[in-house]
Amino acid sequence: MALKNFVPFWERKVKMKSINEIESLIKKSCIKTVATTDARILADAGALLQKPVEKEKVDQRLNLSFLLRPFFRKQLLRFAISAVIVIGVFLGIYQFGGDSSKVYAQMTETMKQMLWTHWIVISQRTDETVAESWYNFEDSIFAQKRNDGILVYNNLGDIEFTYNQLRDKIYLSNIRDIDRDKDFVPAASFQFIHIILDYLKKEAANISRDLIVQAGQDVEVVYAKMAASCKIDKIELKRDVKKNLLLSLRVDYKDSTKDIIGIFDYPKNGPQSIYDLGVSQNTEVVNLIIPSDIPQLIKRINSLRQTSLTDYIALSLPSDNEKLTTSSPYKIPRYFTANDNLACVIYRKQNERCQRRGYFSIETAKMLNILDLHENIQNISEEMFTVSSTIYNSDKIFCYQLLDGKPVRNMLRGQVETYGSRIFIEQICWPKIIVPKNTLVKWKVESVSVSNKEPLIMIERSLESGITERWFLNPARNYICQKNELIRGDTLLSEMEILEYAKTKNGQWYPEKIKNTEYRGIKGNGETFLPETTCKIIYLLENPILPKILFDPNSLPKP
Amino acid sequence: MLEDSRLLELVNNGDKDGLNQIYAKYKNELLTIARSLLPDIHTAEDCLHNVIVKFVSSNSSSHIHNLRSYLIKSVVNQAKDQLKKTKKQSDCRVETLDYDSNSIAPSMRMIEIEESNKVFEALAKLPNEQREVIVMHIHGEMKFKEIADFQCVSTNTVQSRYAYGIEKLRTFLGKES
């Protein structure tokens, strides 16, 4: 039978794959994202989704919730600009000389001294109230009520209340820096006087005045015709001559659909809380305020990352039970044995950092006792067959890699402190905790008791996308982050935990044994990937003498 | 799973579920395309990240008629940009050494199966234009006419690129087993 099918070698033909087979092979070459990548991409993209970028309104009902904040801003900005112009008009009147300049200069001061300044902004096109606002300069409160929601800034308390009518929720958050910078808060509300000086120079306002009697009061009317290049056509303001207070401000735009008029009065009372503006006391409150101790903790961690463990050499080895038993044999250079393992030597001298990865014999490591290992880290790094080297120079990363003993890549990559980077010991100990801006974030800080262990401080940051990250700091060990968890919904995506600590000769704690686990989600066929755990041991020496060339990108071999 | 038009509408309205669904629907396909065009998984993930972030931030989702095609073209464009930046298409085997035991997700570079790697290695040896055509046609399931419009060349050119590319792959990927 065997002979029947036998084909002599001289008659055998090499049969290449068909086009269909090649196409099928390409089609099958699929890869899947991993859970941590998904989490990061969705967190970043999701944060932008929440970010109040100037999205076009397609459907007012649908967009309302999303646009609430920027919509407020736009209206505020528009009116702020109008107010800027008013002040500018006053300043323009300075040019007239005489008593009037003094009067108008004092008007803003008089307004500030009122208990409350209240005004209604009406659209001249629809005759509808666009917004109703209150200023209280003494308590530094600004409130604005609209048909679609309410916004209250308590500047002294550093709190912003937003009532989102569509969601029927009150959001409490800290006043964002961006709002402070843009004069949306009372304390800065008249800082725009300076801006208008430039504005007037550019727009060359033409100003005239008239004196009338309105409701028995002497009222001065100031007209300003703006230059052709200005979006605003003209401004009319009315001032109560006796009290020296602004009564109304009318702004006519070149696009008349935007025309607005603001009518001012000065009541003795104003809204003390968001509930005074018609929001039900039963409305759900979403507290997004960063607990006061979190910024302090983050500052402390950042400082420790910068200032602790600044001069060291560290050797990172997989723990004993982790030999090169990977299912991907192509990852191992063929001339290494199963007793070798991937080691990593890390150097830091202040802001200069270098990392070398390479293969190192576990057997060799076992022959040395721990003390020797500590003492011989520098020598060990020379024994290691380096397969890649990375220099972190300023904000750049330079790296090269070896294949079969030859450098094959020498390139510039990314930035040093990328989010989640855990290459250097200080990054593991005191990780970067990002405080996203323009994103609704929930923070939590609490003390966590673990039986028979030191109490930890937990910082929890939850993004609206459902991504939560937790950092467990150990106050007894210089606030080193003992555990870090990344969670999506109820699913744990990855965790890092320091299992054992050690101390340098200088008394500095550092992690000696670290466990990383990644939960890799679900396969295409519905089965769950097994969690992947790696464990490494770190040996660290502080204040070694490191050759300068270590940190020189030019020292890397060229391919 | 909702239709793309509805998902786009949700994203337009700042709805995260919409974004999550779009991402879940296309992520693996886009990553595979990115990986087919780029030298390593690390860069491919960056590419996917940039495409998704730009998709959300560009505020252009209301003008998209065919979401899948839009995302695939975005990946191809982004991959081109990244290749220009690095000006390198290193041997794919290099990444097998780029295993950082200290990083947060060490297994990220271990998910590619060896068989796929061979294909990616072979694809990496092709000129950019041929590789793009093959990837867009096979993975992106785009018609030659559509690819021709995208590459601003004639359909005949695209078909030639495809034929030459496949022929080279036959050589690279060797004999029938």
Side-chain angles (χ1 to χ4, degrees), chain A residues 2 18 32 106 133 209 233 235 244 252 298 320 326 352 433 450 494 529 544:
Chain A
S18 70
K32 291 187 167 67
Q106 285 174 346
S133 309
R209 292 184 299 163
D233 182 34
I235 293 167
N244 198 17
D252 291 351
I298 292 176
D320 285 349
T326 167
E352 296 178 303
I433 300 174
V450 187
S494 69
F529 279 110

Side-chain angles (χ1 to χ4, degrees), chain A residues 17 23 26-27 32-33 37-38 40 44 46 63 331 357 401-402 413 422 518 532 536, chain B residues 13 16 23 27-28 42 49 94 97 99 102 104 107-109 111 138-139 141 162 170 176:
Chain A
K17 286 188 170 74
E23 286 176 338
I26 296 171
K27 190 81 186 160
K32 291 187 167 67
T33 61
T37 306
D38 293 344
R40 294 241 165 81
D44 287 356
N63 273 349
K331 289 178 182 299
R357 291 205 304 275
Q401 292 178 320
L402 289 175
R413 294 173 61 181
R422 284 185 193 160
E518 192 193 347
E532 190 167 295
K536 64 189 172 196
Chain B
N13 294 316
K16 294 214 167 171
Y23 181 75
K27 60 178 186 175
N28 293 331
H42 176 81
H49 175 274
V94 173
L97 299 174
Y99 170 69
N102 294 293
I104 189 165
S107 66
M108 276 204 282
R109 279 148 193 79
I111 57 165
I138 296 180
H139 282 305
E141 293 167 359
Y162 185 79
R170 288 183 74 197
E176 204 173 51

Side-chain angles (χ1 to χ4, degrees), chain A residues 313 345 347 376-386:
Chain A
I313 176 172
V345 186
Y347 312 86
N376 289 303
I377 287 177
Q378 276 174 283
N379 298 333
I380 287 165
S381 69
E382 285 169 17
E383 284 175 24
M384 203 170 73
F385 182 87
T386 308

Side-chain angles (χ1 to χ4, degrees), chain A residues 93-308:
Chain A
I93 290 166
Y94 271 104
Q95 309 306 319
F96 298 163
D99 290 342
S100 60
S101 60
K102 193 176 172 185
V103 168
Y104 283 98
Q106 285 174 346
M107 192 176 85
T108 53
E109 291 306 314
T110 316
M111 287 168 71
K112 282 182 184 177
Q113 282 160 22
M114 294 291 105
L115 283 171
W116 288 89
T117 299
H118 166 247
W119 78 88
I120 300 169
V121 178
I122 299 166
S123 160
Q124 294 191 69
R125 183 174 64 87
T126 62
D127 224 17
E128 287 176 358
T129 300
V130 177
E132 185 174 7
S133 309
W134 291 261
Y135 263 140
N136 179 317
F137 291 98
E138 192 175 342
D139 294 334
S140 205
I141 291 172
F142 170 73
Q144 190 175 68
K145 185 180 180 184
R146 305 180 52 82
N147 291 333
D148 45 21
I150 293 165
L151 181 68
V152 177
Y153 285 119
N154 182 329
N155 200 41
L156 290 182
D158 188 35
I159 298 173
E160 175 185 330
F161 301 79
T162 307
Y163 171 65
N164 182 315
Q165 185 161 300
L166 195 72
R167 295 179 188 171
D168 193 27
K169 285 180 185 171
I170 298 170
Y171 292 93
L172 262 68
S173 59
N174 297 91
I175 296 177
R176 289 164 296 183
D177 290 342
I178 189 170
D179 293 348
R180 286 186 220 285
D181 294 345
K182 290 187 178 174
D183 297 346
F184 295 147
V185 285
S189 59
F190 280 132
Q191 286 177 4
F192 45 63
I193 290 174
H194 303 288
I195 302 168
I196 196 57
L197 287 170
D198 291 334
Y199 186 82
L200 273 186
K201 278 178 197 167
K202 286 176 191 165
E203 302 299 337
N206 181 13
I207 300 163
S208 62
R209 292 184 299 163
D210 200 1
L211 203 60
I212 62 169
V213 177
Q214 185 177 293
Q217 293 173 309
D218 289 338
V219 174
E220 183 178 51
V221 188
V222 175
Y223 306 97
K225 177 76 179 169
M226 308 309 288
S229 58
C230 184
K231 284 182 181 173
I232 293 167
D233 182 34
K234 56 189 177 185
I235 293 167
E236 178 198 281
L237 75 86
K238 290 181 177 172
R239 178 182 70 91
D240 182 329
V241 174
K242 191 177 174 186
K243 294 177 184 167
N244 198 17
L245 287 170
L246 182 63
L247 292 176
S248 70
L249 166 70
R250 176 181 167 147
V251 182
D252 291 351
Y253 289 82
K254 298 248 165 56
D255 171 5
S256 61
T257 59
K258 294 178 180 173
D259 293 353
I260 50 168
I261 183 164
I263 297 166
F264 290 75
D265 65 306
Y266 304 90
K268 287 184 179 170
N269 297 307
Q272 296 300 310
S273 76
I274 200 160
Y275 302 110
D276 292 347
L277 297 172
V279 181
S280 163
Q281 296 272 359
N282 299 324
T283 307
E284 184 189 346
V285 178
V286 181
N287 189 349
L288 303 170
I289 292 174
I290 301 174
S292 58
D293 36 4
I294 284 183
Q296 201 182 337
L297 277 171
I298 292 176
K299 200 174 167 186
R300 185 169 201 162
I301 293 165
N302 286 341
S303 166
L304 286 164
R305 189 173 60 252
Q306 304 290 337
T307 57
S308 300

Side-chain angles (χ1 to χ4, degrees), chain A residues 40 294 297-298 301-302 305 419-422 426-436 441-448 455-463 467-475 479-487 492 494-497, chain B residues 104:
Chain A
R40 294 241 165 81
I294 284 183
L297 277 171
I298 292 176
I301 293 165
N302 286 341
R305 189 173 60 252
Y419 174 72
S421 178
R422 284 185 193 160
E426 69 276 11
Q427 290 171 335
I428 299 169
C429 290
W430 302 284
K432 197 168 190 173
I433 300 174
I434 305 284
V435 183
V441 185
K442 269 188 179 178
W443 291 91
K444 197 158 87 177
V445 60
E446 60 186 45
S447 182
V448 180
L456 304 173
I457 298 172
M458 183 196 72
I459 298 180
E460 184 180 282
R461 186 198 60 195
S462 302
L463 302 175
I467 302 292
T468 298
E469 191 157 8
R470 292 184 186 135
W471 296 268
F472 296 83
L473 313 177
N474 189 335
Y479 289 86
I480 287 176
C481 179
Q482 185 161 307
K483 194 175 173 185
N484 174 218
E485 294 175 343
L486 188 66
I487 301 155
L492 191 57
S494 69
E495 63 181 334
M496 179 283 297
E497 188 172 7
Chain B
I104 189 165

Side-chain angles (χ1 to χ4, degrees), chain A residues 316-516:
Chain A
S316 162
L317 285 174
S319 62
D320 285 349
N321 55 353
E322 280 191 81
K323 294 192 176 169
L324 284 176
T325 52
T326 167
S327 58
S328 308
Y330 60 87
K331 289 178 182 299
I332 309 162
R334 52 187 161 271
Y335 35 79
F336 287 94
T337 71
N339 279 331
D340 294 332
N341 217 325
L342 190 64
C344 184
V345 186
I346 304 154
Y347 312 86
R348 182 184 179 194
K349 195 160 187 69
Q350 299 298 336
N351 291 325
E352 296 178 303
R353 297 176 174 94
C354 178
Q355 177 202 214
R356 282 190 179 167
R357 291 205 304 275
Y359 288 88
F360 180 74
S361 166
I362 292 292
E363 294 303 320
T364 311
K366 278 182 179 170
M367 282 159 58
L368 302 161
N369 64 42
I370 294 294
L371 278 175
D372 286 343
L373 201 55
H374 274 276
E375 295 300 331
N376 289 303
I377 287 177
Q378 276 174 283
N379 298 333
I380 287 165
S381 69
E382 285 169 17
E383 284 175 24
M384 203 170 73
F385 182 87
T386 308
V387 290
S388 76
S389 190
T390 312
I391 292 176
Y392 297 74
N393 182 308
S394 179
D395 61 342
K396 302 285 192 305
I397 302 176
F398 300 85
C399 73
Y400 87 88
Q401 292 178 320
L402 289 175
L403 188 70
D404 292 343
K406 294 175 186 169
V408 291
R409 181 190 280 186
N410 186 336
M411 61 184 289
L412 181 65
R413 294 173 61 181
Q415 288 184 319
V416 174
E417 288 223 31
T418 49
Y419 174 72
S421 178
R422 284 185 193 160
I423 293 166
F424 294 92
I425 309 298
E426 69 276 11
Q427 290 171 335
I428 299 169
C429 290
W430 302 284
K432 197 168 190 173
I433 300 174
I434 305 284
V435 183
K437 285 184 178 171
N438 304 323
T439 307
L440 297 181
V441 185
K442 269 188 179 178
W443 291 91
K444 197 158 87 177
V445 60
E446 60 186 45
S447 182
V448 180
S449 299
V450 187
S451 59
N452 300 324
K453 289 187 178 174
E454 291 148 341
L456 304 173
I457 298 172
M458 183 196 72
I459 298 180
E460 184 180 282
R461 186 198 60 195
S462 302
L463 302 175
E464 268 209 332
S465 59
I467 302 292
T468 298
E469 191 157 8
R470 292 184 186 135
W471 296 268
F472 296 83
L473 313 177
N474 189 335
R477 311 275 168 126
N478 203 15
Y479 289 86
I480 287 176
C481 179
Q482 185 161 307
K483 194 175 173 185
N484 174 218
E485 294 175 343
L486 188 66
I487 301 155
R488 180 168 58 199
D490 297 327
T491 310
L492 191 57
L493 299 177
S494 69
E495 63 181 334
M496 179 283 297
E497 188 172 7
I498 295 174
L499 301 179
E500 288 170 23
Y501 285 93
K503 242 181 185 177
T504 65
K505 283 179 182 171
N506 296 344
Q508 171 70 56
W509 288 107
Y510 70 91
E512 192 177 50
K513 192 169 185 181
I514 301 172
K515 186 176 82 170
N516 278 301

